[in-house]
Amino acid sequence: MTTTPAGSAGRSPLARLEAVFAAHRAAGRKALAPFVTAGDPDPATSVAVLEAVDRAGASLCELGVPYSDPIADGPVIQSSYTRALASGITLESVFSIARQAADRVTMPILAMASYSLIFRRGIDRFVADAVAAGLTGLVVPDLPLEESDDLDAPCRAAGLALVRLVTPTTPPDRAEAIARKSTGFLYCVSVAGVTGARTELPAGLVDRVKWLRTKTDVPILVGFGISGPAQARAVAEVADGVIVGSALVRLLAEAGQKPRDRLLADIGAAVGDLAAACGPRK
Amino acid sequence: MPPTPSAAPPLSRVPDTLGRFGRFGGRYVPETLSAALDQLERAYADAHADPSFTAELDRLLSAFVGRPTPLLFAERLTKHAGGAQIWLKREDLSHTGAHKINNTLGQGLLAMRMGKRRIIAETGAGQHGVATATACARFGLDCVVYMGAEDVRRQSPNVRNMRLMGAEVRPVESGSRTLRDAINEAMRDWMASVETTHYIIGSVVGPHPFPRIVRDFQAVIGRETIEMSRRQFGRLPDTVVACVGGGSNAAGMFYPFVDHPEVRLVGVEAGGRSGKPGDHAASLSFGSPGILHGSLSYVLQDQDGQTADVHSVSAGLDYPGVGPEHSYWRDLGRVEYTSVTDAEALDAFDLVARREGILPALETSHALAWAADEAAKRPADEIIVVCLSGRGDKDAAEIARLRGLAADGGPESGA
């Protein structure tokens, strides 16, 4: 079994992610990063969802690893994790979903995983499994700067991005330190609060992103609370991209009530609208 | 002359500046909470060094809580066990009926120092919720308490009392609808409200600096026990025992004793129905190191790190994690941790009710069960002190239900 997808031999996972941002800059468009839960409603559908998201114009994708106690997540993603775990999803099946999708899509895929799961598996083993699954990076929402050295070193050695988060409550000097450490991109959390679609962009977001822009060269993606194309367009004007989670995961909750083709078409349409808001088609 | 190698530093000199108790503890939380935890750490350091803060807390502990709580010789329980003497540290006599108030008053004062006027808390048995509602009423702070829906049902007297003191109780319907889920919801509230709200966590769990702050506010239990032991029987006890869920009464009792190696310390966890996964809540007895609710400690989890379902007849012990300092003491061998089943705890409740005229909390009944059993094996000149962490009025109806008794003690009428 090969551990690098066709066409990317010799490049590190991080380099593949960086190449996507470089191509976007050259094309004058911003990145769209949808978030979908691995294994909701089932592994086969997850692979198909990732393919649909890729076809519809996603630049990269965050694959949410279900966790039993996600304190940073609002009700939509929590429920999605609960459904996935109830259907018997394990870390093995998450890596298998990523592996199957990585062979079929062009967009890089990152895992969003609680540090509880990474620590339990063993940091080195988790990193090796992530690379073998074709993942390009990790987003670890419950791992602040002070605790992240243990994961940082193996990620650097493996060429895996370790995306850090800054939030509205992060003081400026700390935000700079976090930005310096972040690889792949910097995740700018738009609001103080949990994940979940919101109707309005928070006050001060645009200024915060502009300020961050003066402090770091790493791409800045904005997430939490972005629900539709209008917000995506507004954010894309100042940031390098947008992350949309709950608004798409909400569609996964409807999986039981409609045929799979219809589910994939709905998700594809939603991603397509968001991608169109991010600039010329990729 | 080179310095001579000194003895190992005292066990009490933890945590370090990153909140580590050995390898346990730390701060594994979303970045949104980092600034508030830094602020809390600074406010606590500042308060700790401020004699006026300590003086105000001491005044409250005395006149409002009724401290010091007595150390009582359990004469008829001792006679029943037929061995070592059993003494009870009467935290059940504290205002609100449990040790929890020691912490909520301290943290309430801290919240006001930080200019925060809204308080949130989680509660399992409801004792911490009541103690938080009480502190908020006393200080004039807004109070929201998250409580698992299952616990709202089985601890209804405490729900009523919280509401009577003006707190809003929000039942949590997610997950297992118990303490763990209540903590998740409180954390989520805090994520969105952190700039104006203080989270009064109720046990020695959570991200740094909570395990240290809660331990320090509860350590009054152990300090009083040491002083009273010296006064009442002229020496330290041979054994000190406390129940352990998250572990706040045990941490407060044990901490002043850890540097007295001659005193045996025993923590009693919830053994539930059996030792099978899902049947108990004994993290230190059956768990493995993992991260839950912001710190590294022993956790009941599956092979992927998903938190396991747990069970205990006692809502306050029905928790899959434990404070990181207990994990530290466990691995050092300084504290022994064992477990007692639901049935043994219920029997101890009956025993202490009938022999001592005290209705102990079901949580505490776990420690009492171990103590009565152990006393029988030890000579009469040995002394066992039990931290009687709370009163059991809240449990009386649930025990009657489990025992098939109507609340008036007669047979179920079905009416």
Side-chain angles (χ1 to χ4, degrees):
Chain A
M1 193 181 107
T2 166
T3 55
T4 45
S8 60
R11 281 197 295 169
S12 76
L14 176 59
R16 285 165 47 215
L17 187 57
E18 288 170 341
V20 166
F21 288 114
H24 276 61
R25 262 195 302 278
R29 75 184 305 273
K30 301 303 174 71
L32 172 65
F35 168 101
V36 294
T37 304
D40 179 21
D42 59 73
T45 306
S46 275
V47 175
V49 164
L50 288 165
E51 289 181 88
V53 160
D54 183 55
R55 272 195 310 273
S59 314
L60 60 146
C61 187
E62 265 187 75
L63 185 62
V65 183
Y67 175 52
S68 55
D69 297 81
I71 58 172
D73 285 305
V76 171
I77 291 175
Q78 263 183 71
S79 305
S80 178
Y81 282 179
T82 303
R83 286 192 299 272
L85 290 172
S87 78
I89 285 292
T90 62
L91 272 180
E92 290 301 333
S93 35
V94 172
F95 287 128
S96 163
I97 289 165
R99 174 76 267 163
Q100 291 174 58
D103 292 338
R104 300 179 198 180
V105 301
T106 57
M107 63 181 184
I109 304 173
L110 298 90
M112 164 84 93
S114 167
Y115 195 59
S116 301
L117 306 178
I118 296 170
F119 179 86
R120 173 67 164 162
R121 194 168 189 82
I123 292 167
D124 291 340
R125 183 176 166 209
F126 194 100
V127 167
D129 286 345
V131 172
L135 292 164
T136 56
L138 302 177
V139 184
V140 188
D142 49 6
L143 189 68
L145 192 62
E146 294 76 10
E147 304 285 2
S148 66
D149 286 351
D150 289 350
L151 182 58
D152 188 79
C155 281
R156 282 182 195 274
L160 200 62
L162 180 54
V163 173
R164 314 304 178 102
L165 300 90
V166 296
T167 74
T169 59
T170 309
D173 51 343
R174 183 177 168 87
E176 281 189 62
I178 292 171
R180 268 198 302 278
K181 279 274 190 177
S182 200
T183 51
F185 61 90
L186 178 65
Y187 193 135
C188 175
V189 175
S190 69
V191 290
V194 295
T195 57
R198 292 169 177 83
T199 50
E200 282 178 31
L201 283 185
L205 174 64
V206 166
D207 288 342
R208 270 197 312 122
V209 175
K210 284 181 177 167
W211 177 83
L212 278 170
R213 183 72 295 158
T214 67
K215 298 296 173 188
T216 178
D217 293 328
V218 73
I220 300 169
L221 270 62
V222 175
F224 278 44
I226 294 168
S227 56
Q231 289 175 335
R233 190 171 294 115
V235 169
E237 280 184 20
V238 288
D240 299 291
V242 297
I243 300 163
V244 181
S246 296
L248 296 172
V249 172
R250 185 171 287 148
L251 296 173
L252 294 176
E254 299 166 5
Q257 291 115 57
K258 54 186 166 192
R260 187 157 120 179
D261 289 350
R262 172 77 195 289
L263 175 74
L264 297 176
D266 288 351
I267 288 173
V271 170
D273 289 347
L274 290 162
C278 290
R281 185 142 174 97
K282 82 170 178 183
Chain B
M1 207 173 97
T4 48
S6 59
L11 294 184
S12 56
R13 280 179 53 188
V14 285
D16 67 12
T17 54
L18 288 174
R20 293 281 167 184
F21 303 85
R23 68 172 168 141
F24 298 104
R27 181 186 287 178
Y28 301 93
V29 291
E31 170 61 19
T32 298
L33 301 180
S34 288
L37 293 168
D38 283 342
Q39 178 194 23
L40 177 60
E41 200 177 346
R42 285 192 303 271
Y44 181 66
D46 184 59
H48 200 65
D50 177 356
S52 73
F53 178 87
T54 315
E56 186 172 5
L57 182 57
D58 284 348
R59 271 196 303 277
L60 284 165
L61 290 176
S62 165
F64 189 62
V65 178
R67 302 205 74 90
T69 58
L71 181 62
L72 171 77
F73 178 46
E75 203 170 336
R76 297 189 66 233
L77 182 63
T78 297
K79 197 168 287 173
H80 172 86
Q85 299 169 37
I86 300 171
W87 292 68
L88 306 174
K89 177 61 173 154
R90 300 291 308 277
E91 291 303 299
D92 61 316
L93 292 179
S94 300
H95 181 43
T96 72
H99 68 290
K100 296 290 189 186
I101 189 85
N102 301 328
N103 170 48
T104 60
L105 289 173
Q107 287 205 48
L109 291 176
L110 276 181
M112 291 190 291
R113 276 176 95 91
M114 294 186 288
K116 294 182 172 180
R117 308 292 304 180
R118 178 177 180 264
I119 298 295
I120 55 172
E122 86 294 340
T123 195
Q127 293 300 103
H128 175 60
V130 168
T132 304
T134 301
C136 289
R138 168 86 199 171
F139 298 142
L141 303 172
D142 294 335
C143 181
V144 173
V145 178
Y146 290 91
M147 188 170 186
E150 168 64 11
D151 295 338
V152 167
R153 183 195 65 74
R154 59 180 168 172
Q155 307 278 269
S156 61
N158 277 339
V159 176
R160 180 201 60 209
N161 292 350
M162 286 183 257
R163 289 177 172 151
L164 286 172
M165 285 183 285
E168 180 189 344
V169 180
R170 295 188 184 166
V172 177
E173 299 284 355
S174 59
S176 56
R177 305 155 84 232
T178 58
L179 179 54
R180 157 192 162 198
D181 309 288
I183 295 179
N184 287 340
E185 279 312 305
M187 290 266 191
R188 289 178 188 124
D189 180 313
W190 208 30
M191 289 277 288
S193 63
V194 65
E195 284 165 298
T196 57
T197 296
H198 177 60
Y199 176 18
I200 300 189
I201 206 160
S203 192
V204 287
V205 301
H208 176 63
F210 282 116
R212 188 237 165 131
I213 290 177
V214 178
R215 176 202 71 193
D216 286 355
F217 285 140
Q218 294 295 359
V220 64
I221 304 172
R223 286 196 304 269
E224 286 177 7
T225 303
I226 287 176
E227 193 190 314
M228 290 173 169
S229 296
R230 288 185 170 137
R231 206 168 58 231
Q232 291 179 237
F233 42 82
R235 62 179 179 90
L236 295 184
D238 299 286
T239 301
V240 175
V241 54
C243 64
V244 179
S248 71
N249 88 85
M253 177 57 110
F254 295 164
Y255 180 68
F257 282 101
V258 292
D259 293 328
H260 296 278
E262 70 278 19
V263 180
R264 181 185 181 200
L265 304 174
V266 180
V268 183
E269 297 191 292
R273 292 179 288 250
S274 81
K276 283 191 299 196
D279 268 5
H280 60 79
S283 327
L284 291 160
S285 305
F286 299 106
S288 52
I291 291 159
L292 177 65
H293 294 144
S295 60
L296 171 57
S297 194
Y298 277 83
V299 178
L300 291 164
Q301 57 186 338
D302 74 6
Q303 62 165 18
D304 278 355
Q306 310 289 355
T307 311
D309 287 334
V310 294
H311 162 82
S312 172
V313 68
S314 143
L317 304 184
D318 200 353
Y319 182 64
V322 68
E325 194 161 17
H326 286 293
S327 294
Y328 172 65
W329 290 334
R330 174 200 186 276
D331 279 11
L332 287 173
R334 178 62 190 95
V335 180
E336 296 163 49
Y337 294 91
T338 182
S339 63
V340 151
T341 65
D342 287 351
E344 290 166 333
L346 287 165
D347 287 349
F349 176 94
D350 287 348
L351 182 66
V352 174
R354 286 160 186 267
R355 290 236 155 213
E356 293 294 338
I358 294 170
L359 299 180
L362 268 180
E363 291 75 23
T364 314
S365 299
H366 287 71
L368 291 164
W370 185 87
D373 193 53
E374 182 70 10
K377 303 174 199 160
R378 314 295 304 183
D381 60 349
E382 282 201 9
I383 291 174
I384 298 175
V385 171
V386 184
C387 184
L388 212 162
S389 54
R391 58 192 290 165
D393 305 51
K394 67 186 178 62
D395 298 308
E398 177 72 357
I399 289 171
R401 188 183 72 85
L402 292 168
R403 292 285 196 229
L405 298 172
D408 63 0
E412 290 280 15
S413 67

